[in-house]
Amino acid sequence: MSTKYVFVTGGVASSLGKGIIASSLAKLLQARGYSVTIQKLDPYINIDPGTLNPYEHGECYVTEDGAETDLDLGHYERFTNMPTSQANNITTGRIYQNVINKERKGDYLGKTVQIIPHITDEIKRNIKLLGKDGKFDVVITEIGGTIGDIESLPYIETVRQLKWELGNDALVVHLTLVPYLAASGELKTKPTQHSVKQMLETGVQPEILVLRTEHQLPEDIRRKVALFCNVTPDAVMQSVDVSTIYEVPLKMQEEQLDVVVCNKLGLPVEKEPELKAWNSFLYNLKNPTQEVEIGLVGKYVELHDAYKSIVEGFIHAGAANNAKVNIKWIHSGELDEKNCEEKLAGLDGILVAPGFGLRGIEGKILAAKYARENNIPYLGICLGMQIAVIEYARNVLNLKNADSIEMNEQTPFPVINLMEEQKTVTEKGGTMRLGAYDCTLIKDSNAYKAYGKENISERHRHRYEFNNEFLAKYEESGMIATGRNSETGLVEIVEIPEHKWFVGAQFHPEYKSTVVNPHPLFVAFVKATLKNNI
Ligand code: GLN
């Protein structure tokens, strides 16, 4: 069977949830036995989102192979439970960089290098790369941005060319918005019609329309859209707002998105989708037996997307514990000695988030101190682990002004130091310690109990590390390195065994938490916050 290609585009407005629709379709096809991968094409000129401020674009998601990618890839992995890679996220910047590199090498043999065919060929190559070797039955490609954006034009043109080349092996799912006018009590289809017209101007006829709406769409609206937009009535589907994104695959199954896609691509649909694990997760998610409140201390808390994978990690781990995790967003920059008690008292757990730079550091240190002194379960992720180490140095080991070299190069006690291989690095983009590294756990530690095994592998994104010159001092007084990389000796996890549950991880567990495989550290952390857990 030849690989099938599905393109997911969006019109009318941004933030309609293309990533969730793409992920839901992938989940449904996978549940029917097909192997699927999802790719995101981002129309911006950055080579990758690694250098973007989280306020700009939300979290930067890191894959196994160390690619710094768009946060939608997190959804893809959480829904499909399949790892993605660099090939799953391409930006305009990367496309142009590749083309310009080829031009400099002389690969274009004196030709004038142009958007068509050279840029579109490079986009095509990157889409087809995932379909090579027959590894996947279906490749779903989400096109970032909204139809009509100047930036997305080369991508839409590529879709047009590919549809022509691939015939029935390719189709377009276009997501639009049907607004509800409260004053007249009407649902409006005109924006959808305009959006499809705009696609037609570029030569692309979408086969399936998914209409985002706050209200159920009556039959006549669907027929009208089908008529005006040249699609079959069964291919006009609604996507009504739901309380959790994890319900979307079931809602799209009700709309028969998977069946219509399969029929149009000539894929057999004999099997019923197997969604047992998914449904049992949803049941647990919707029927919690208790609630906990966990403080998320970070400096980008105004934009919750900056901590997307952490939030989702709590949703997965909450369901695994039959508990609802309420997140209290705490701005590290606003936390001080005076209001610390007021802001943190009563929390069942404290998470200090990853981050870069000086801003909000002292607030994070106060949060770690509060958790340690009051026996509140603590999970520190990446910078949050480094913060716990700095706090312990200052307040337990009496190393005055101990710090990370990142925050204070002159500190007399650099308990967090720049990694050796980072000392010669000058460029910022893609140069951190990135991606999966092994870690060996000490038996009887909280980490070992959580994972239930000695050897693990987790994803990284940092430049600084625990300074092993201080390790003996820490271990003598009660903070232990319970996870280390056996090749390099780098400390991956620190714990305080005397404490109820205090874990700092140099890696990012949140990237690997999925619906079907909630992350062991998140599950154990949430478990430690439960009231009846002694
Ligand atoms: N800024 C720290 C470092 O580079 C932590 C990074 C992070 O939290 N992802 O090591």
Side-chain angles (χ1 to χ4, degrees):
M1 193 182 77
S2 52
T3 304
K4 312 287 182 184
Y5 293 86
V6 176
F7 300 97
V8 178
T9 56
V12 181
S14 56
S15 304
L16 293 182
K18 284 196 299 281
I20 302 298
I21 292 295
S23 302
S24 298
L25 174 60
K27 179 74 226 169
L28 291 172
L29 294 175
Q30 197 186 48
R32 287 186 171 280
Y34 293 112
S35 59
V36 188
T37 191
I38 322 179
Q39 173 188 48
K40 172 96 188 261
L41 303 183
D42 271 315
Y44 50 72
I45 296 175
N46 303 62
I47 300 289
D48 61 43
T51 51
L52 284 174
N53 185 321
Y55 282 131
E56 290 279 322
H57 213 66
E59 165 189 281
C60 170
Y61 184 80
V62 178
T63 55
E64 287 290 293
D65 61 345
E68 295 177 285
T69 71
D70 185 77
L71 59 71
D72 268 329
L73 272 79
H75 289 309
Y76 305 164
E77 290 203 12
R78 289 187 282 274
F79 275 59
T80 62
N81 202 36
M82 294 269 294
T84 53
S85 70
Q86 180 62 74
N88 294 73
N89 191 195
I90 308 294
T91 67
T92 294
R94 195 175 290 277
I95 296 287
Y96 272 81
Q97 192 183 49
N98 291 349
V99 169
I100 291 167
N101 287 346
K102 277 186 206 163
E103 187 273 337
R104 288 292 81 182
K105 277 204 289 177
D107 287 359
Y108 294 112
L109 305 174
K111 284 267 176 237
T112 308
V113 181
Q114 293 178 300
I115 293 185
I116 306 171
H118 302 102
I119 293 294
T120 50
D121 275 354
E122 180 60 16
I123 298 172
K124 230 186 273 180
R125 189 183 69 80
N126 277 281
I127 294 170
K128 285 186 163 174
L129 206 60
L130 284 172
K132 257 185 33 197
D133 312 325
K135 210 166 124 205
F136 298 106
D137 301 322
V138 184
V139 174
I140 300 176
T141 299
E142 177 191 344
I143 315 275
T146 309
I147 291 301
D149 295 347
I150 289 178
E151 286 96 337
S152 1
L153 270 175
Y155 293 106
I156 304 300
E157 164 60 16
T158 308
V159 171
R160 186 193 67 78
Q161 294 178 22
L162 275 174
K163 283 192 76 184
W164 178 245
E165 254 176 58
L166 297 165
N168 288 341
D169 286 341
L171 66 77
V172 172
V173 176
H174 186 55
L175 181 63
T176 70
L177 175 71
V178 173
Y180 177 73
L181 296 190
S184 58
E186 282 177 303
L187 288 159
K188 291 300 195 187
T189 64
K190 197 69 84 191
T192 297
Q193 296 177 40
H194 279 305
S195 168
V196 172
K197 283 232 165 69
Q198 197 153 19
M199 284 193 88
L200 288 171
E201 277 170 27
T202 53
V204 176
Q205 166 70 59
E207 279 78 7
I208 296 175
L209 299 175
V210 175
L211 314 183
R212 265 304 289 275
T213 167
E214 287 170 42
H215 300 275
Q216 298 280 335
L217 295 184
E219 211 35 57
D220 61 324
I221 292 252
R222 294 180 193 236
R223 271 202 307 275
K224 185 169 163 188
V225 170
L227 183 68
F228 278 107
C229 301
N230 324 315
V231 297
T232 50
D234 67 339
V236 180
M237 305 177 189
Q238 65 177 18
S239 171
V240 184
D241 296 356
V242 277
S243 57
T244 158
I245 52 169
Y246 297 113
E247 230 181 291
V248 178
L250 303 183
K251 291 286 165 199
M252 295 324 294
Q253 191 188 8
E254 279 171 24
E255 295 293 302
Q256 300 224 299
L257 175 62
D258 51 334
V259 175
V260 175
V261 165
C262 285
N263 285 342
K264 290 192 189 287
L265 290 174
L267 291 170
V269 285
E270 300 110 40
K271 286 194 214 127
E272 271 307 299
E274 203 282 289
L275 290 162
K276 225 190 278 154
W278 192 272
N279 281 320
S280 102
F281 157 79
L282 262 185
Y283 179 85
N284 290 340
L285 182 65
K286 288 182 170 178
N287 298 283
T289 52
Q290 46 187 321
E291 288 192 27
V292 292
E293 187 172 42
I294 295 181
L296 194 160
V297 184
K299 67 171 170 175
Y300 308 111
V301 292
E302 301 90 335
L303 182 72
H304 296 182
D305 268 3
Y307 302 107
K308 192 76 202 160
S309 294
I310 295 178
V311 174
E312 300 305 320
F314 278 133
I315 293 174
H316 308 152
N321 280 291
N322 296 305
K324 179 168 194 294
V325 177
N326 296 315
I327 294 177
K328 181 172 175 185
W329 297 91
I330 299 167
H331 201 304
S332 52
E334 290 164 8
L335 208 53
D336 58 35
E337 299 267 5
K338 275 185 250 122
N339 63 21
C340 192
E341 173 73 32
E342 173 205 330
K343 291 203 186 220
L344 304 178
L347 288 173
D348 300 305
I350 292 177
L351 181 142
V352 173
F356 295 85
L358 199 55
R359 189 168 68 95
I361 286 301
E362 295 304 321
K364 286 186 170 178
I365 292 177
L366 281 172
K369 178 167 186 260
Y370 191 87
R372 182 179 56 77
E373 291 182 341
N374 293 285
N375 212 21
I376 300 172
Y378 178 89
L379 178 58
I381 299 183
C382 208
L383 179 63
M385 172 267 199
Q386 299 175 355
I387 290 288
V389 167
I390 297 167
E391 189 281 318
Y392 202 84
R394 290 186 189 175
N395 299 319
V396 181
L397 304 181
N398 286 319
L399 303 177
K400 211 166 160 259
N401 294 327
D403 218 325
S404 163
I405 290 285
E406 181 182 11
M407 317 305 163
N408 175 8
E409 278 189 25
Q410 310 304 328
T411 173
F413 304 111
V415 289
I416 303 293
N417 210 356
L418 194 59
M419 277 182 277
E420 212 40 56
E421 65 267 29
Q422 286 288 331
K423 291 187 176 155
T424 49
V425 170
T426 50
E427 283 194 14
K428 290 270 182 269
T431 55
M432 279 185 259
R433 182 186 189 213
L434 289 165
Y437 285 90
D438 291 339
C439 167
T440 309
L441 304 177
I442 288 187
K443 289 223 168 109
D444 294 330
S445 60
N446 279 323
Y448 180 83
K449 283 182 207 152
Y451 287 91
K453 57 180 180 187
E454 217 176 327
N455 294 311
I456 59 163
S457 161
E458 291 284 358
R459 301 184 196 171
H460 290 251
R461 183 174 187 245
H462 61 111
R463 287 187 207 282
Y464 297 85
E465 54 153 337
F466 184 95
N467 184 345
N468 276 330
E469 280 175 27
F470 292 88
L471 184 58
K473 250 189 161 52
Y474 276 88
E475 297 209 320
E476 274 159 34
S477 80
M479 182 177 265
I480 314 288
T482 58
R484 293 179 78 175
N485 180 293
S486 48
E487 251 166 67
T488 56
L490 289 183
V491 172
E492 299 275 351
I493 305 178
V494 294
E495 293 187 31
I496 303 176
E498 281 298 299
H499 190 279
K500 189 175 176 195
W501 201 92
F502 193 103
V503 174
Q506 184 58 79
F507 50 81
H508 290 262
E510 71 275 24
Y511 295 143
K512 281 179 80 168
S513 187
T514 72
V515 165
V516 187
N517 277 331
H519 195 281
L521 279 184
F522 273 77
V523 174
F525 177 42
V526 171
K527 186 160 180 237
T529 66
L530 300 179
K531 309 253 178 330
N532 57 6
N533 178 63
I534 327 135

